[in-house]
Amino acid sequence: MKRIAAVTLGAALCLGAFPASVSADSADEMILFTWEGMFPQEVLDGFEEEYGIEIIYSNFDSDETMLEKLSMAQGGDYDLIIADDYILEEVVAQGLAQELDMDIITNFDNINPSYQGQVYDPEDAYTVPYGAGIPLIVYDPEQVDIEITGYSDLWDESLEDCIAITANYRVICGITQLSMGRSMNEEDPEVIAETGERLLELAPNIRLIQDDNTQDALLNGEASVAFLYTSQVTQVLAENPDLQVVYPEEGLGFGIMAGFVPSQAPNGEAAMKFINYILEPEVSAQCTNYIGYYCTNQAANDLVDENLVAPEGVTGEFVRTVSAEAEAAYSEAWTAFKAACD
């Protein structure tokens, strides 16, 4: 999910310049490592005022960049990292995260059980959900001649040159596989080749491939259908509530952003305190309303924008790490698809 991943949920949904490595000078500092724009300033200021701990905010531009830097630091340099679910499997597997101190994180029970016990951390020992994303289809019913109920409808001939999509290749390949009745995380190169062929059939309908502000194409009339990250869905509905949102019948591409404390964090105790602080309902609501992703803190549900509380029972498959062979096959399919769209 791009930060929301879209979700993949931006997934994961804003980019930041990658700085040189930083380090905290004392126990009165905490290094937060995540994407740009993940917290409202008043939340950061509030923590600093309450705990007397200065937050040093450092940005990365991708989950892969984060993992590379953290691996090079052997689990050190940073106190708290917030990243996407699929990369957390690697973080935990490589021993780069430390166990959470539940004596400090007393607000953990505020987390909605729907977002606990994920495959990357089944015992909730290392990670704390921060936001959830479900990329969805949104369309203008006045400009579209068919009723869209799922991913398969995106291939309808009436939608030629009408669709704007995000640029996360694993998510787009994933929803294509869902439309084929398969998993988002197929490993068989032959199946992925079939995915590529089906994507080529979609190419005539694609108007725009873009990660940032994809919703603008729907608002300005350039596209009549869009596949958007969660925060983009929130933005587009705020400007035009008459647009139709689709929870695809084939299943959802679901993503969670979560925080963890690196194994050799210089000030892990401060990070645990910050985690507990942002799990307070009022603070959590401030964060959720700011980032525009689904609220993972059930104690804050009544305090956030109603559009940021996912419908009951919403679950789905999220993008996971695949083998190098499968990754190469996905990349090849995506490259051919983009060339066909151009």
Side-chain angles (χ1 to χ4, degrees):
M1 171 184 74
K2 188 178 177 185
R3 144 80 214 324
I4 202 225
V7 182
T8 158
L9 297 132
L13 289 184
C14 58
L15 302 175
F18 187 75
S21 178
V22 294
S23 61
D25 294 328
S26 72
D28 295 331
E29 295 178 340
M30 184 199 82
I31 299 173
L32 173 62
F33 194 34
T34 187
W35 298 280
E36 183 182 16
M38 285 285 281
F39 290 93
Q41 189 60 46
E42 57 266 29
V43 165
L44 303 179
D45 293 343
F47 176 78
E48 291 181 342
E49 181 177 349
E50 182 171 340
Y51 289 91
I53 298 172
E54 179 186 359
I55 295 175
I56 301 174
Y57 196 119
S58 182
N59 305 330
F60 56 75
D61 59 2
S62 73
D63 291 295
E64 290 74 16
T65 300
M66 176 279 296
L67 182 58
E68 179 182 3
K69 296 296 267 188
L70 183 61
S71 297
M72 290 176 61
Q74 299 181 324
D77 284 359
Y78 312 104
D79 297 309
L80 175 63
I81 297 176
I82 296 175
D84 283 328
D85 42 25
Y86 76 93
I87 209 74
L88 297 177
E89 290 185 275
E90 287 296 311
V91 168
V92 174
Q94 293 184 30
L96 295 173
Q98 63 177 270
E99 290 196 23
L100 301 171
D101 186 342
M102 294 305 180
D103 289 333
I104 297 177
I105 307 175
T106 57
N107 289 324
F108 191 90
D109 288 343
N110 288 345
I111 297 170
N112 189 324
S114 297
Y115 304 109
Q116 297 184 33
Q118 299 299 314
V119 65
Y120 54 83
D121 187 12
E123 302 300 324
D124 296 314
Y126 301 97
T127 64
V128 178
Y130 180 61
I134 306 173
L136 298 172
I137 300 168
V138 183
Y139 72 98
D140 186 342
E142 294 187 358
Q143 301 295 323
V144 174
D145 294 331
I146 63 170
E147 179 185 4
I148 299 177
T149 60
Y151 304 119
S152 296
D153 293 320
L154 300 179
W155 274 258
D156 192 278
E157 293 180 356
S158 68
L159 300 180
E160 182 176 358
D161 200 32
C162 290
I163 304 174
I165 61 173
T166 56
N168 187 310
Y169 74 99
R170 281 295 312 280
V171 171
I172 300 303
C173 287
I175 66 171
T176 299
Q177 286 166 167
L178 289 176
S179 78
M180 300 162 63
R182 297 184 179 274
S183 166
M184 294 187 76
N185 297 292
E186 291 291 342
E187 292 266 5
D188 187 339
E190 292 185 4
V191 172
I192 300 171
E194 294 176 16
T195 303
E197 293 173 3
R198 182 154 172 77
L199 275 172
L200 292 177
E201 296 171 0
L202 178 64
N205 289 2
I206 300 301
R207 175 74 176 179
L208 177 72
I209 301 176
Q210 177 178 300
D211 250 10
D212 295 327
N213 300 313
T214 318
Q215 75 281 357
D216 288 348
L218 199 57
L219 292 170
N220 65 27
E222 182 178 0
S224 55
V225 182
F227 179 73
L228 304 173
Y229 296 121
T230 302
S231 60
Q232 296 172 340
V233 174
T234 303
Q235 292 176 52
V236 80
L237 290 179
E239 296 197 38
N240 186 352
D242 294 329
L243 295 172
Q244 184 71 41
V245 178
V246 179
Y247 287 82
E249 58 190 2
E250 299 96 336
L252 301 171
F254 185 73
I256 297 174
M257 297 182 294
F260 68 93
V261 180
S263 56
Q264 302 299 321
N267 197 354
E269 182 177 349
M272 304 286 184
K273 291 178 179 178
F274 184 77
I275 290 171
N276 195 58
Y277 174 73
I278 63 174
L279 286 176
E280 294 177 7
E282 294 79 8
V283 178
S284 179
Q286 286 180 290
C287 294
T288 297
N289 287 330
Y290 180 76
I291 62 174
Y293 275 76
Y294 286 127
C295 182
T296 56
N297 185 338
Q298 62 185 1
N301 280 350
D302 292 337
L303 304 175
V304 303
D305 184 310
E306 62 181 9
N307 292 318
L308 299 179
V309 179
E312 286 294 325
V314 170
T315 59
E317 184 178 16
F318 63 86
V319 173
R320 298 184 61 179
T321 302
V322 294
S323 68
E325 184 181 18
E327 186 67 38
Y330 280 118
S331 180
E332 181 179 350
W334 178 252
T335 298
F337 170 62
K338 286 193 69 178
C341 293
D342 292 340

